[in-house]
Amino acid sequence: MGKSSSAASATKKRRHTLTLDEVKTLGRELLSSRAHLNHAPVLLALLSPSAPLDLALEALISLQSFFEPLIPSIPSASAAATAADVGRDPELVFGTWLRQRFDEFVAALVELSVSPHSDDAIRDVALDALMDFVKMGKDGKFHSAIYHKFLHAVVHAADPIDTLLDLLGSKYFKYADVCFFTYTSLDKIANSLGKTTDTENDVLQSRSDGSENRSTIFIHNIYNILAHVPVMDFQKESTFDMWSTVGLYSKGENDSSKDSSTTYIKKKLKLKFTKAWLSFLKLPLPLDVYKEVLASIHQNVIPSMSNPAILCDFLTRSYDIGGVISVMALSGLFILMTQHGLEYPKFYEKLYALLTPTVFMAKHRSVFLQLLDSCLKSSYLPAYLAAAFAKRLSRLALSVPPAGALIIIALIHNLLRRHPSINFLVHWEVDENDSNATGEASQPKKIGADPFNNDEADPAKSGAMRSSLWEIDTLRHHYSPAVSRFVTSLEEDLTVRAKTTEMKITDFSSGSYATVFQDEVRRRIKQVPLAFYRTTPTSLFQGSDFPGWAFGFGDQSNSTVETIVEGNEAIETAASQYFLLVLPANLMLRPEVVNIGALFSFNSTIGRAAKVAIAAAVDDINNDSSVLQGSKLAVQMQDTNYSGFIGIVQALQFMEKDTVAIVGPQSSVVAHVISHVANELQVPLMSFAATDPTLTSLQYPFFVRTIHSDQFLMASVADLVDYYGWKMVTAIYIDDDYGRNGISALDDELAKRRLKILYKAAIRPGAKKSEMAAVLVKAAMMESRVFVLHANDDSGLAVFQLAYNLTMTSAGYVWIATDWLTSILDSAPRLDNGVLGTLQGVIALRQHTENTSRKKALASRWSTLVKEYSSGSSFLLNSYGLYAYDTVWMLAYALDEFFNSGGNISFSPDPKLRAVAGGALNLEALSVFDGGTLLVERIREVNFTGATGPVKLDSDGNLIQPAYDIINIIDSGLRTIGYWSNYSGLSIASPETLYKKPSNGTAGNQNLRPAIWPGETVARPRGWVFPNNGEELRIGVPNRASYREFVSADNQTGMVSGFCIDVFVAAVNLLQYPVPYRFIPFGDGRENPSYTELIGKILTNEFDAVVGDVAIVTNRTKVVDFTQPYTGSGLVILTSVKTQGSNGWAFLQPFTIKMWCVTGVFFLIIGTVVWLLEHRINDDFRGPPAKQIITVFWFSFSTLFFAHREDTRSTLGRFVIIIWLFVVLIIQSSYTASLTSILTVQQLTSPIKGIEGLIASGEPIGFQVGSFAESYLIHELSVSPSRLKALGSPDEYATALVLGPHKGGVAAIIDELPYVELFLVDHSNFAVVGFEFTKSGWGFAFPRDSQLAVDLSTAILTLSENGDLQRIHDKWLSSSGPSSSSQSTPDLQSDRLQVHSFSALFLICGVACVVALAIHASVLVRQYYLHVASQQPPKDDGGGGGAAAISRSSGRSRLRAFLSFADRRETPPPRSSKKESSSAALGASGNSAGRGVSSSFTSSDASVSSLDVATPRPPSMPR
């Protein structure tokens, strides 16, 4: 046990170094004996969501096996704490240690269960282990404390907990005791949460910014837990399953009766259920939770509550809110009113107010309208109330949608049938002669005016009894046929109830525009008006429509008309130009055959699979009568052979044959060309392989891409490059629309991640191998070793073969191939070893397709389909074949909706082709598909699950859920190392599983399995080398005129040398690759160059790098990259200093004036306090006033030298003196040390103390020529440029400082610390004042995102670690003399001692004085009152003594009496012994012996003595 602390300290170190076998060994040893108890903390450290899954699972299982048998012996938390304080008994210590480890294990299990970062497997195991501990409570009872900790963590989880709650619901919420303690814990948590949240009168809280605070999240979690606990039917439930052994019974309960135990469980469960829900409903519920509770409270809460009437306040308050909340609260309130006797007087007034047009468009209108009908069903409703509701509903019928009008008619019908007393609203007739009738219903009315006030909130005052339902009559002419028909159908006499039946509101309550439209569409009509045109009309009306009008009427004798005969064949007869033709409905049949075309390259990997897949899809569709309902698809396939020209010709041929859509083309190049034809002739073009991202719906509205765009493919490639930490890539691509636009998308995606394409290597379409090889050789000479190959199946393998021959697939290279490569490999029945040999270590991407039922069915019969539809060699199914299959199905579903929408297949001549008609091209045969626009709209609305997964287009025309498989090619074939999805980025989990979880595409969640790279290595390639293009790095070097030790150039030889140059050369020599370079001096050598201009040469590409004493400052880091600093640097103040001599008053310098004053005051305070404490008992502090004043001064100041003669006799006085002497000792020692330093150490002084004082002085400031100090002083410190003076050499430094600001020099120089240190080596009359007020360093500058800068930074760190950097420094900067650091001091003058340095001592001393005086005063006052009481005469004494005189005196007299008492000499109390009598006699005579005895009586501890104040003291008695 003594080693537990050391084991705990080593836990973190061992956590990430343990293997699975070592963890298993630790677990076995832990279970074997107590000698290995220290393994428990090590295993506990592995229980975290971030730990490796296998290690965490093994550690969890071992710890569970360890703790389970020990649970009965584990002490409680309180017992463990008591045992830790009582003693060190080994068993008690072991129990305490065991309790702590068990608590840590439980906390780890809770974290693993709740954390969103936990794997599903370990979450399941952790939850089971936790619930096992809950089950194993003391005496078999439910361990509620552990379960409460778990639920508390679940409620306070900031991340979604749906997965965990689903797990709890499926496994544990079926047990009654788990539900019981769930309600118990939620009750406590909700109560505690209610105390911390800001409760407001309005419980509806919805934040305007859409964000959620923590309390809102906790409330959501509580509701989710309550919603996941299953609702128990207490009426039917006869038995309850228990998770624990004892269940809900408390200790001592024993009931063997099954019925009584069931009743007991029901009672307790109902009680806890009610408490939990009531505590939850008291919280400030967010609006969404509030609505969900109201929507389900009547079904899930009220039936299970012990007393549902408790909810009346919540429901009535909700009902009073108004709007949709009131609508939703109506269900629960109705149940309380009808089943539990709730009385709500203003219920119908509130219900009347809810009848607004918005309620008929609310989400929960169906339930509300059904409840409205139920509430108005009672026959006891007053006539005025029924009339008001009927009239309010009829007025609403004028403004609500058609579905609302239908249900209003049904509601009014039921009201009239149930309440015959309001039937006069329908049959109201005004009798002008009956003006004397009585009653509201018979009051005279004004014709044309409706007395009903729709804005009145009170139904009794609305005037409905004097109105009529005229609105219902207007509905006979409603624009919706359904409404007008429904009104007409209600022709029966409502006064006779036997003639009518009530309407079922459920048949109308869910109505909407969609249901009304669907009902109208499904109606079978006898006659259908049809319009047929020879040519497409250009206006709504023509002249023939208006005979006799001014614009004329055409002669109909020479016109023709088209009629429709069976089989859709048209014949022409003489008739008018057009007319309406009515046909029976059975002739309106769908076409028997729908012609579609297919364009792709037959002799290609994609084309071969597509040909079989399209044919199979057409057969499947034609065999499925539910899709096209009698129509058949006829597909004609054409081979484009990768030619855009041939594709155009074939597309035109399709247009001659009335083709409604074209599947394809395969190539993006062909798609660009044919899309123009599709736009003109309005024929949808559905491509399953053209992935060019520029083929958008904006430019090509009739182009539909049924595969994922290359925009997503390149996003996945960019994420791969970013994941592996590469900064640049080389793109190799085919130089056509497909290649160029794909690489352009890659460039955009890389730029979003601050990456770039270093070189774009374009290959001409159809290039020979020699041309490809030349491109590859040029790419190999670039820096990047990461190659992205975006090619076609006919050229990609040739590129890899050439790269293999050029050794560009060896170690250090990275190849990423787009999805063209996986389509080739997936189609090959057997992978050729020769091909695989050239692809070792390549990363490729594949379009991800889900494992759907259609995919399985197609794959199972693929070999049969290949034999049937392909005459060539066998091949396997690839992803493009799946997308081609889904494309045909997508078209079939769209055609079905097209025909359902009333679309028909018709074609019209293109008027634009008339101008170019004639010749042998037969352009007259081309026609425009009249329904093309409608068909495209239906295609974009298709939504189904196909062979590839969900098939649906988003608003941009892209397939939803883009995802790719990431494939690593190795010796044995293909290996999936992960997936990419637009939803969550890179992951090792399949995308379809991630769609069920919240999106999390952050960098920390990106993960892939280890890859095997070219050269058969698992180490990630660096991805960059120095370019092998024969060019040297052009390195700019500042040609300095001063401080040439850092860097200098020989103007004659051009050689450069110095400290900075040696550091650069040493760092380059440490690189693992050669770097050719040459130094180019910058500057004339007579004056220091401008470093800003030098850095700018990198931006203009004149230099590839800058090496020298270049400071790393902010404005430079914005344009270039710097290496790791190789030396520290910062701006300091250099100024001249002089020696400060001492004078005759030097002894006053250690203290400031304030310090002297405070010290003197405290001397007087201490003397005064001691006098007050000693005056009554110590004769040394008594006597005449002059003597006492002298004594106070003498005593106080003599303590400075510890030479005071007066003895302190009181306890309080001694207490004060002890503290004061300690303070004096500290002050005296500090004074002595400071004065010694002043008199013996040479003092340097300067009027400048720091940068603030220098700026405020207004005196000239010097700076080095070319340094950034000038810009810093002007722009950062706002120093006027007129105060700055440029200095170019150390001699100019010295001269300017010696002259000073008044003789043409400067007050100080601002320069970087390395220059100043070198200057101070030879100039001892100057020093650095203040501190270094900027922190920076010197580094080598390179262009942005330079990999060489990164590698050189690593080399500089190596130089620093092995000591070479210090040796180079000593070589150049330490040979001229001692270091100048001794000359530099932050403050040239010794600090004088300040009051604040001793403030704590003075404070302690002051507090001691105040406390002592307070005690002394309280004792003195007490003695005084006792003395006064003792001097009072008896009550029967009429003369009155001295005490009576004092009591009757004025306040001033009493004060004088008290001061006189305080000034008197205190005498000791009388004693009975002889020794006491002699002591008293000696005290009376005033000798020293008497004073010695009286010293034992202090003002703080002496008892009250009897003082004889009546007898006057002798004159010689000291006062």
Side-chain angles (χ1 to χ4, degrees):
M1 296 300 296
K3 298 180 181 179
S4 61
S5 59
S6 61
S9 63
T11 297
K12 292 185 178 179
K13 297 181 180 179
R14 300 187 59 184
R15 173 177 172 180
H16 296 292
T17 59
L18 293 174
T19 63
L20 182 59
D21 294 335
E22 291 174 342
V23 173
K24 291 181 179 179
T25 303
L26 291 176
R28 288 194 297 268
E29 292 177 355
L30 177 64
L31 297 174
S32 62
S33 73
R34 283 193 179 185
H36 302 289
L37 288 176
N38 288 330
H39 292 347
V42 179
L43 295 175
L44 282 170
L46 294 173
L47 298 182
S48 79
S50 59
L53 178 61
D54 52 349
L55 301 185
L57 282 173
E58 186 63 33
L60 192 155
I61 295 171
S62 299
L63 288 170
Q64 183 182 3
S65 303
F66 170 73
F67 281 111
E68 278 184 353
L70 297 176
I71 286 181
S73 62
I74 295 178
S76 63
S78 58
T82 305
D85 297 333
V86 170
R88 302 298 296 175
D89 183 80
E91 288 300 323
L92 293 178
V93 172
F94 172 72
T96 303
W97 179 91
L98 193 63
R99 181 75 223 183
Q100 294 173 351
R101 302 292 83 77
F102 180 72
D103 290 342
E104 293 174 3
F105 184 43
V106 171
L109 292 177
V110 171
E111 182 184 9
L112 289 173
S113 302
V114 177
S115 174
H117 306 296
S118 299
D119 189 84
D120 292 340
I122 198 169
R123 178 183 290 111
D124 198 348
V125 176
L127 182 60
D128 291 343
L130 190 67
M131 294 304 294
D132 286 340
F133 289 147
V134 170
K135 185 178 182 179
M136 299 170 64
K138 187 176 181 180
D139 299 329
K141 293 194 297 184
F142 195 96
H143 204 310
S144 59
I146 295 178
Y147 190 66
H148 180 75
K149 290 179 182 179
F150 169 66
L151 280 186
H152 187 273
V154 174
V155 170
H156 290 77
D159 296 289
I161 57 173
D162 296 335
T163 303
L164 178 61
L165 293 181
D166 292 340
L167 203 59
L168 278 171
S170 61
K171 285 189 174 184
Y172 302 106
F173 282 157
K174 59 186 178 182
Y175 299 104
D177 52 351
V178 176
C179 297
F180 175 86
F181 287 102
T182 300
Y183 294 137
T184 304
S185 296
L186 291 181
D187 179 24
K188 297 178 181 178
I189 295 171
N191 284 328
S192 63
L193 185 61
K195 297 176 182 178
T196 58
T197 54
D198 184 17
T199 57
E200 300 178 357
N201 293 331
D202 185 9
V203 295
L204 302 181
Q205 296 189 0
S206 180
R207 299 183 58 169
S208 60
D209 58 354
S211 61
E212 290 185 324
N213 54 26
R214 294 179 60 85
S215 299
T216 303
I217 297 175
F218 300 160
I219 294 172
H220 274 92
N221 291 343
I222 294 177
Y223 176 70
N224 288 335
I225 298 174
L226 288 172
H228 276 78
V229 178
V231 179
M232 295 185 180
D233 189 352
F234 293 105
Q235 303 298 329
K236 298 180 180 179
E237 202 76 34
S238 59
T239 59
F240 295 91
D241 295 329
M242 296 294 172
W243 175 246
S244 60
T245 305
V246 178
L248 302 186
Y249 291 112
S250 302
K251 185 176 181 180
E253 290 185 347
N254 185 15
D255 191 351
S256 59
S257 174
K258 182 177 180 180
D259 294 336
S260 62
S261 64
T262 302
T263 305
Y264 171 82
I265 293 173
K266 288 181 180 180
K267 181 180 178 181
K268 296 197 73 174
L269 273 175
K270 275 194 172 185
L271 181 62
K272 290 299 180 181
F273 177 89
T274 303
K275 287 184 176 181
W277 270 100
L278 287 179
S279 300
F280 170 71
L281 294 178
K282 292 178 183 178
L283 297 175
L285 304 182
L287 186 58
D288 54 344
V289 175
Y290 200 84
K291 290 181 178 180
E292 291 183 24
V293 170
L294 291 176
S296 60
I297 195 170
H298 63 287
Q299 294 177 343
N300 300 334
V301 181
I302 293 178
S304 302
M305 298 196 76
S306 58
N307 183 15
I310 301 176
L311 294 175
C312 63
D313 291 338
F314 173 78
L315 290 173
T316 53
R317 187 171 66 251
S318 303
Y319 189 66
D320 293 339
I321 291 175
V324 68
I325 299 298
S326 297
V327 173
M328 300 178 70
L330 184 61
S331 299
L333 199 60
F334 181 78
I335 293 177
L336 293 184
M337 293 176 62
T338 56
Q339 300 179 14
H340 300 281
L342 176 65
E343 295 183 1
Y344 191 34
K346 295 185 179 182
F347 174 78
Y348 283 100
E349 286 81 356
K350 296 290 184 181
L351 185 61
Y352 181 82
L354 290 178
L355 293 178
T356 59
T358 57
V359 79
F360 292 89
M361 293 176 281
K363 179 179 180 181
H364 302 280
R365 62 182 181 276
S366 176
V367 177
F368 170 75
L369 294 171
Q370 294 176 36
L371 290 174
L372 175 65
D373 183 63
S374 301
C375 294
L376 300 176
K377 187 176 292 186
S378 174
S379 59
Y380 295 102
L381 285 180
Y384 79 89
L385 194 61
F389 274 95
K391 185 60 181 176
R392 184 69 170 259
L393 288 170
S394 62
R395 185 63 60 86
L396 286 174
L398 301 178
S399 57
V400 298
L406 290 174
I407 195 170
I408 284 177
I409 297 170
L411 287 170
I412 294 176
H413 175 271
N414 291 345
L415 275 173
L416 294 173
R417 187 180 183 278
R418 297 166 184 166
H419 306 282
S421 59
I422 64 172
N423 283 341
F424 67 91
L425 296 175
V426 180
H427 303 290
W428 185 273
E429 295 181 359
V430 178
D431 187 1
E432 296 181 357
N433 298 323
D434 189 12
S435 59
N436 297 323
T438 60
E440 183 182 3
S442 60
Q443 292 181 9
K445 297 189 176 184
K446 182 179 180 181
I447 303 300
D450 191 349
F452 174 71
N453 185 5
N454 193 44
D455 298 328
E456 176 59 44
D458 189 354
K461 301 178 182 180
S462 63
M465 295 291 288
R466 295 182 292 112
S467 182
S468 67
L469 300 180
W470 57 267
E471 297 92 343
I472 303 300
D473 187 71
T474 62
L475 295 182
R476 298 176 184 271
H477 310 286
H478 198 275
Y479 69 90
S480 174
V483 176
S484 59
R485 284 195 306 270
F486 190 43
V487 174
T488 306
S489 64
L490 301 178
E491 296 286 347
E492 293 84 357
D493 187 3
L494 292 174
T495 59
V496 183
R497 297 168 60 90
K499 294 183 180 181
T500 59
T501 59
E502 285 192 4
M503 295 286 182
K504 293 183 179 180
I505 302 301
T506 54
D507 296 339
F508 304 90
S509 58
S510 299
S512 63
Y513 274 112
T515 58
V516 173
F517 180 77
Q518 291 296 332
D519 291 341
E520 197 66 26
V521 169
R522 294 191 186 99
R523 289 183 65 248
R524 296 183 61 85
I525 56 179
K526 298 181 179 180
Q527 294 181 343
V528 181
L530 298 176
F532 293 89
Y533 310 101
R534 174 174 293 279
T535 60
T536 303
T538 58
S539 62
L540 183 60
F541 301 106
Q542 296 185 6
S544 59
D545 296 328
F546 301 94
W549 286 69
F551 45 79
F553 178 69
D555 187 6
Q556 298 182 4
S557 59
N558 297 327
S559 303
T560 60
V561 66
E562 288 188 0
T563 58
I564 301 296
V565 297
E566 188 175 0
N568 297 325
E569 296 181 357
I571 61 173
E572 295 184 358
T573 59
S576 61
Q577 183 177 3
Y578 69 91
F579 65 94
L580 295 179
L581 177 65
V582 179
L583 292 177
N586 56 6
L587 293 182
M588 292 300 300
L589 302 176
R590 297 188 179 194
E592 292 185 355
V593 178
V594 179
N595 295 320
I596 64 173
L599 292 174
F600 51 88
S601 300
F602 291 174
N603 191 23
S604 65
T605 302
I606 298 175
R608 285 191 291 268
K611 183 178 181 180
V612 177
I614 292 173
V618 171
D619 285 348
D620 293 344
I621 293 168
N622 291 337
N623 293 329
D624 189 347
S625 59
S626 64
V627 181
L628 290 177
Q629 302 179 14
S631 298
K632 301 294 184 181
L633 283 182
V635 60
Q636 182 179 1
M637 304 183 191
Q638 296 286 355
D639 185 6
T640 61
N641 197 22
Y642 296 105
S643 173
F645 174 74
I646 296 177
I648 292 177
V649 174
Q650 293 169 347
L652 295 177
Q653 291 175 351
F654 285 144
M655 295 303 100
E656 295 177 355
K657 302 174 183 179
D658 296 344
T659 302
V660 299
I662 298 176
V663 177
Q666 168 190 336
S667 170
S668 298
V669 178
V670 179
H672 271 281
V673 179
I674 300 180
S675 293
H676 294 284
V677 178
N679 287 350
E680 182 63 31
L681 302 180
Q682 299 183 12
V683 177
L685 198 63
M686 304 178 65
S687 178
F688 57 88
T691 55
D692 183 357
T694 62
L695 289 167
T696 61
S697 58
L698 296 177
Q699 182 181 6
Y700 306 111
F702 287 90
F703 176 82
V704 179
R705 190 195 338 265
T706 60
I707 194 172
H708 298 302
S709 168
D710 278 347
Q711 187 71 41
F712 304 108
L713 175 66
M714 296 309 171
S716 65
V717 173
D719 278 346
L720 271 175
V721 175
D722 191 29
Y723 173 77
Y724 287 113
W726 301 312
K727 298 298 182 183
M728 58 185 71
V729 300
T730 296
I732 303 175
Y733 61 97
I734 304 301
D735 193 12
D736 56 12
D737 291 332
Y738 162 75
R740 282 191 304 271
N741 296 329
I743 295 303
S744 178
L746 175 62
D747 204 359
D748 294 338
E749 293 296 333
L750 290 173
K752 294 178 184 178
R753 297 157 179 81
R754 293 196 63 182
L755 311 175
K756 67 177 182 179
I757 298 178
L758 178 66
Y759 176 66
K760 295 181 180 179
I763 299 176
R764 181 180 62 84
K768 299 179 181 179
K769 288 188 176 182
S770 58
E771 298 178 54
M772 296 182 184
V775 173
L776 290 177
V777 169
K778 190 173 182 180
M781 298 173 64
M782 300 297 149
E783 296 178 55
S784 176
R785 283 293 179 264
V786 181
F787 297 94
V788 177
L789 180 56
H790 188 50
N792 299 315
D793 53 359
D794 59 341
S795 57
L797 291 179
V799 172
F800 270 119
Q801 183 63 50
L802 291 171
Y804 179 78
N805 296 335
L806 294 172
T807 67
M808 293 176 63
T809 59
S810 57
Y813 285 86
V814 177
W815 285 89
I816 301 176
T818 53
D819 57 350
W820 64 269
L821 180 57
T822 51
S823 65
I824 297 175
L825 300 177
D826 291 341
S827 300
R830 292 179 301 276
L831 297 179
D832 183 76
N833 292 332
V835 174
L836 286 178
T838 63
L839 302 175
Q840 287 299 306
V842 172
I843 300 294
L845 293 102
R846 175 201 292 143
Q847 298 269 359
H848 178 77
T849 56
E850 296 184 15
N851 195 21
T852 61
S853 57
R854 286 190 176 180
K855 178 180 177 180
K856 295 177 182 178
L858 183 62
S860 63
R861 56 193 180 99
W862 182 256
S863 58
T864 304
L865 294 172
V866 171
K867 295 178 181 178
E868 181 179 355
Y869 298 111
S870 178
S871 57
S873 59
S874 62
F875 50 88
L876 302 181
L877 177 63
N878 57 36
S879 59
Y880 285 95
L882 295 173
Y883 281 105
Y885 183 83
D886 280 350
T887 301
V888 181
W889 273 98
M890 187 178 187
L891 177 58
Y893 284 122
L895 284 170
D896 188 50
E897 290 298 322
F898 171 78
F899 293 131
N900 290 337
S901 303
N904 61 338
I905 298 177
S906 62
F907 296 85
S908 303
D910 189 353
K912 297 180 181 180
L913 295 178
R914 295 177 182 176
V916 294
L921 294 179
N922 193 23
L923 297 179
E924 296 86 352
L926 301 179
S927 56
V928 178
F929 179 28
D930 296 329
T933 303
L934 178 61
L935 180 57
V936 167
E937 292 176 0
R938 295 297 174 262
I939 291 174
R940 298 188 185 280
E941 295 172 357
V942 169
N943 183 8
F944 72 101
T945 301
T948 59
V951 180
K952 182 182 179 182
L953 300 178
D954 60 17
S955 58
D956 295 329
N958 296 316
L959 275 181
I960 62 172
Q961 298 181 357
Y964 294 89
D965 302 337
I966 302 174
I967 308 298
N968 185 207
I969 302 175
I970 55 178
D971 287 336
S972 57
L974 308 183
R975 172 174 168 263
T976 302
I977 62 173
Y979 305 89
W980 179 92
S981 68
N982 197 39
Y983 184 74
S984 294
L986 299 173
S987 69
I988 58 176
S990 60
E992 46 266 24
T993 61
L994 296 177
Y995 295 140
K996 304 175 183 177
K997 302 178 181 179
S999 176
N1000 194 351
T1002 58
N1005 290 280
Q1006 306 300 290
N1007 191 21
L1008 292 176
R1009 297 184 182 90
I1012 299 176
W1013 304 100
E1016 298 183 357
T1017 177
V1018 294
R1020 180 188 68 86
R1022 184 173 54 189
W1024 175 87
V1025 295
F1026 193 78
N1028 187 20
N1029 53 12
E1031 297 182 1
E1032 296 178 327
L1033 279 180
R1034 300 163 298 171
I1035 298 178
V1037 175
N1039 189 6
R1040 295 187 57 86
S1042 61
Y1043 301 111
R1044 297 173 64 85
E1045 293 87 348
F1046 294 106
V1047 60
S1048 62
D1050 191 332
N1051 294 332
Q1052 297 180 353
T1053 63
M1055 298 294 293
V1056 294
S1057 60
F1059 167 69
C1060 303
I1061 302 301
D1062 283 3
V1063 172
F1064 176 77
V1065 173
V1068 170
N1069 291 335
L1070 292 178
L1071 298 179
Q1072 299 179 359
Y1073 48 87
V1075 178
Y1077 59 88
R1078 60 187 176 94
F1079 295 117
I1080 303 176
F1082 178 75
D1084 54 9
R1086 294 186 296 274
E1087 186 180 53
N1088 293 338
S1090 171
Y1091 282 69
T1092 302
E1093 295 181 7
L1094 181 58
I1095 294 297
K1097 297 294 183 180
I1098 297 179
L1099 302 180
T1100 59
N1101 201 29
E1102 296 182 42
F1103 291 152
D1104 297 319
V1106 170
V1107 171
D1109 49 344
V1110 182
I1112 304 174
V1113 293
T1114 304
N1115 59 341
R1116 295 175 183 173
T1117 58
K1118 295 178 180 179
V1119 294
V1120 296
D1121 281 351
F1122 282 93
T1123 62
Q1124 174 80 15
Y1126 57 87
T1127 187
S1129 175
L1131 293 179
V1132 294
I1133 302 174
L1134 176 67
T1135 186
S1136 59
V1137 295
K1138 61 181 179 179
T1139 304
Q1140 179 184 10
S1142 61
N1143 53 28
W1145 297 95
F1147 67 91
L1148 295 176
Q1149 293 182 8
F1151 287 171
T1152 61
I1153 295 176
K1154 186 177 180 180
M1155 180 64 185
W1156 282 113
C1157 295
V1158 172
T1159 304
V1161 170
F1162 259 87
F1163 273 110
L1164 296 178
I1165 292 174
I1166 295 299
T1168 304
V1169 171
V1170 172
W1171 178 81
L1172 290 172
L1173 298 176
E1174 296 289 328
H1175 178 65
R1176 300 188 72 234
I1177 63 175
N1178 194 337
D1179 292 339
D1180 290 341
F1181 292 89
R1182 301 185 64 83
K1187 177 186 175 183
Q1188 295 185 42
I1189 294 174
I1190 294 173
T1191 300
V1192 168
F1193 275 89
W1194 163 254
F1195 178 81
S1196 60
F1197 285 101
S1198 64
T1199 56
L1200 179 62
F1201 310 102
F1202 305 97
H1204 51 286
R1205 294 184 300 103
E1206 291 77 10
D1207 187 18
T1208 52
R1209 300 181 180 181
S1210 65
T1211 303
L1212 292 175
R1214 292 174 179 176
F1215 168 71
V1216 172
I1217 286 298
I1218 288 174
I1219 294 177
W1220 173 244
L1221 291 179
F1222 175 74
V1223 174
V1224 169
L1225 176 65
I1226 299 300
I1227 295 176
Q1228 187 184 59
S1229 301
S1230 302
Y1231 175 85
T1232 303
S1234 180
L1235 182 61
T1236 303
S1237 174
I1238 292 173
L1239 297 177
T1240 59
V1241 179
Q1242 183 183 16
Q1243 302 294 314
L1244 301 178
T1245 182
S1246 172
I1248 300 173
K1249 304 300 180 183
I1251 186 63
E1252 294 84 3
L1254 178 61
I1255 295 174
S1257 66
E1259 296 177 342
I1261 302 173
F1263 66 92
Q1264 185 182 172
V1265 175
S1267 172
F1268 77 96
E1270 178 184 13
S1271 175
Y1272 182 82
L1273 290 171
I1274 295 174
H1275 298 101
E1276 300 296 332
L1277 301 182
S1278 302
V1279 177
S1280 174
S1282 60
R1283 294 178 55 189
L1284 303 181
K1285 185 175 182 180
L1287 304 173
S1289 66
D1291 294 337
E1292 293 183 14
Y1293 278 27
T1295 303
L1297 290 174
V1298 169
L1299 290 175
H1302 304 295
K1303 297 181 180 180
V1306 297
I1309 296 174
I1310 304 296
D1311 204 355
E1312 296 178 66
L1313 184 59
Y1315 303 125
V1316 174
E1317 289 179 342
L1318 194 60
F1319 172 81
L1320 292 176
V1321 171
D1322 299 324
H1323 302 80
S1324 59
N1325 296 329
F1326 309 97
V1328 174
V1329 296
F1331 294 93
E1332 191 176 355
F1333 57 89
T1334 65
K1335 295 292 184 181
S1336 61
W1338 288 352
F1340 306 135
F1342 289 87
R1344 294 299 299 269
D1345 300 324
S1346 173
Q1347 290 290 336
L1348 186 56
V1350 177
D1351 291 350
L1352 278 178
S1353 296
T1354 305
I1356 290 172
L1357 291 176
T1358 304
L1359 290 176
S1360 177
E1361 292 171 358
N1362 60 24
D1364 289 344
L1365 190 59
Q1366 184 62 41
R1367 283 189 286 272
I1368 297 174
H1369 179 276
D1370 296 341
K1371 170 186 174 183
W1372 288 96
L1373 305 179
S1374 299
S1375 59
S1376 301
S1379 174
S1380 62
S1381 59
S1382 61
Q1383 304 287 342
S1384 305
T1385 175
D1387 196 348
L1388 296 175
Q1389 291 186 347
S1390 300
D1391 288 336
R1392 304 175 71 184
L1393 298 177
Q1394 306 286 336
V1395 175
H1396 66 81
S1397 302
F1398 305 93
S1399 58
L1401 290 174
F1402 287 135
L1403 179 63
I1404 293 172
C1405 188
V1407 171
C1409 293
V1410 172
V1411 172
L1413 288 176
I1415 297 175
H1416 175 72
S1418 63
V1419 173
L1420 184 61
V1421 171
R1422 179 175 177 272
Q1423 290 178 350
Y1424 172 72
Y1425 279 108
L1426 291 175
H1427 165 69
V1428 171
S1430 66
Q1431 297 302 317
Q1432 289 181 353
K1435 293 182 179 180
D1436 56 349
D1437 189 0
I1446 293 174
S1447 64
R1448 290 192 299 269
S1449 64
S1450 62
R1452 183 176 300 177
S1453 299
R1454 288 196 297 269
L1455 178 61
R1456 272 199 306 269
F1458 174 75
L1459 294 177
S1460 176
F1461 174 79
D1463 188 54
R1464 292 172 184 171
R1465 177 73 162 81
E1466 181 180 331
T1467 59
R1471 298 185 181 180
S1472 60
S1473 64
K1474 185 183 295 185
K1475 182 177 180 181
E1476 292 173 350
S1477 301
S1478 62
S1479 300
L1482 290 174
S1485 63
N1487 57 26
S1488 60
R1491 289 196 302 268
V1493 173
S1494 65
S1495 65
S1496 63
F1497 295 91
T1498 64
S1499 60
S1500 62
D1501 58 2
S1503 62
V1504 180
S1505 62
S1506 299
L1507 300 177
D1508 189 6
V1509 296
T1511 305
R1513 294 179 181 271
S1516 60
M1517 179 74 69
R1519 297 187 64 191

